[in-house]
Amino acid sequence: MGYRILFEDITETAKKNNITKDLFFVYAWSEPNYTNKLYGLPTDADTRTLYWNKKLFKEAGFDSEKPPKTIVELDKMAEKLTNKKGNRFEQIGFIPWLSQGWLYTCGWVLGGEFQDKNTGKITANDPNIIKALEWEVSYAKKYNAADVQSFSTATASNIELFLTRKVAMMVSGPWMMQHIKH
């Protein structure tokens, strides 16, 4: 019975073709490298950002040109930007897990690491990853996860929630720009 190669070292092939780390952003080059061996090539840069609805910010009394800079600011703004009648939301300031706000995104924002770079050991119990999960859970408890789920699945897409002013802030990527009118 044979075996399958899951990853193949392409370090020498890259060198022969003058493909070097100075052609890439540091973070992009580091992703396909493991133990100083190259196992792939970066194809694009994947970024996330916080989008905020300037009209909703202004209506809530915030400076529409100044998004939150800290988690504490985000939480305070999100609360003021949330409108709920009974168990139905009319508008939510922020849903941490909506769109691209996954645990790994929040974990990195709070300074966590999911893998020890020296040992390769998975570190999902990193204190900052735990803080990120606790932060997301605090939103689920505060706003009732079932009510948030009902609200967020009532529309066609996460982007639509943002564009129709149902969600004031959302983490997403550069592809969101094609949907936003300036």
Side-chain angles (χ1 to χ4, degrees):
M1 189 162 209
Y3 67 93
R4 293 181 182 210
I5 297 174
L6 182 58
F7 296 104
E8 186 171 342
D9 178 2
I10 62 168
T11 306
E12 292 307 314
T13 303
K15 284 180 186 175
K16 287 177 190 173
N17 289 285
N18 298 316
I19 298 171
T20 59
K21 68 180 181 179
D22 59 306
L23 298 172
F24 300 91
F25 291 114
V26 172
Y27 67 88
W29 183 256
S30 69
E31 287 182 359
N33 275 274
Y34 181 70
T35 63
N36 293 319
K37 294 181 181 175
L38 184 63
Y39 292 93
L41 294 175
T43 59
D44 67 4
D46 194 7
T47 58
R48 302 292 184 274
T49 193
L50 178 73
Y51 289 86
W52 71 98
N53 185 298
K54 292 180 178 185
K55 287 181 182 179
L56 294 178
F57 265 53
K58 195 171 195 170
E59 289 171 7
F62 298 121
D63 183 337
S64 63
E65 298 300 320
K66 294 183 179 176
K69 294 188 190 283
T70 66
I71 295 294
V72 172
E73 284 181 15
L74 185 140
D75 290 344
K76 287 179 182 177
M77 290 174 155
E79 187 170 342
K80 192 167 181 182
L81 289 159
T82 298
N83 300 320
K84 187 176 184 183
K85 290 188 179 172
N87 66 345
R88 298 200 65 191
F89 287 98
E90 293 180 349
Q91 176 182 300
I92 296 181
F94 184 71
I95 304 170
W97 55 87
L98 184 70
S99 190
Q100 300 292 308
W102 302 316
L103 177 58
Y104 75 83
T105 308
C106 297
W108 285 328
V109 165
L110 293 178
E113 291 293 336
F114 289 90
Q115 184 178 31
D116 183 300
K117 291 176 182 164
N118 296 322
T119 66
K121 181 181 175 186
I122 301 301
T123 56
N125 62 346
D126 175 302
N128 290 323
I129 302 300
I130 292 170
K131 282 181 190 175
L133 184 56
E134 290 171 344
W135 177 67
E136 287 192 359
V137 168
S138 76
Y139 270 74
K141 288 179 179 177
K142 181 175 184 172
Y143 296 112
N144 186 338
D147 293 346
V148 173
Q149 182 66 21
S150 176
F151 172 80
S152 65
T153 57
T155 60
S157 70
N158 297 328
I159 292 171
E160 186 178 341
L161 281 170
F162 183 78
L163 297 177
T164 60
R165 303 175 70 200
K166 298 291 184 188
V167 172
M169 296 179 280
M170 182 174 82
V171 175
S172 192
W175 53 86
M176 181 83 166
M177 295 301 296
Q178 67 183 329
H179 302 286
I180 298 174
K181 294 178 183 173
H182 297 281

